[in-house]
Amino acid sequence: MPGHRRAGLIVAVLLPDRDLTVYVLAHPWERDAQGVPVPPPPDARPVPRGTWPGAATEQADGSWTLRADPAAWPTKPGDVLGDGTRTWTVVSALLKQVPGYGAADYIAIVATLNPPEIP
C-alpha cells in the first residue's frame, strides 16, 4: 500500500471505494414506565442521515469491516449503512483520529451483511 514515512512510522492511506449512506435509529431508545429501554419495532426503518465516501471489505469469518468518513459520526451499533447494492448493520464503530492529519480520520466499523450470506 502506498504510504508516507514520518518519524519512523508508515502511514497508509485507505482510499474510499464506494459511497455509504448512514441510516440511524433514534438514540437513545424510548423508555417504558419502569425506565427500561424499548427498542423500535422490527419493521421500523432507520432515517437516512447522509451519504459520504467509505469502503467495505468482507473478512474471512463472514463479518465486514467498513471505513466511513468521520462526518458520519456518531455511528452506533444497530445503525445501518448502505452503498446502493448492499446494506450492513453496525456491530461496533470507533472514531479513529490521526493527530495533525484530519484528512486521515475515519470511522472503523464492524458490521454484518443484510441478509447474511450463507456459506
Side-chain angles (χ1 to χ4, degrees):
M1 256 189 202
H4 174 71
R5 185 173 291 275
R6 178 173 182 217
L9 299 174
I10 295 178
V11 178
V13 177
L14 303 173
L15 299 175
D17 62 6
R18 66 194 73 217
D19 286 331
L20 295 172
T21 299
V22 179
Y23 301 88
V24 297
L25 295 169
H27 296 292
W29 289 343
E30 293 183 20
R31 295 184 176 265
D32 66 14
Q34 289 75 40
V36 176
V38 178
D43 60 347
R45 296 280 304 156
V47 178
R49 185 172 48 198
T51 301
W52 297 278
T57 305
E58 185 173 15
Q59 303 302 302
D61 67 359
S63 67
W64 286 75
T65 57
L66 288 81
R67 294 175 309 280
D69 189 285
W73 188 255
T75 303
K76 299 186 179 195
D79 290 346
V80 174
L81 283 83
D83 68 359
T85 303
R86 295 182 173 114
T87 62
W88 299 267
T89 299
V90 175
V91 174
S92 66
L94 180 62
L95 179 61
K96 300 283 199 164
Q97 296 179 303
V98 181
Y101 294 94
D105 295 351
Y106 67 99
I107 305 170
I109 300 167
V110 175
T112 57
L113 183 65
N114 301 325
E117 293 178 335
I118 298 173

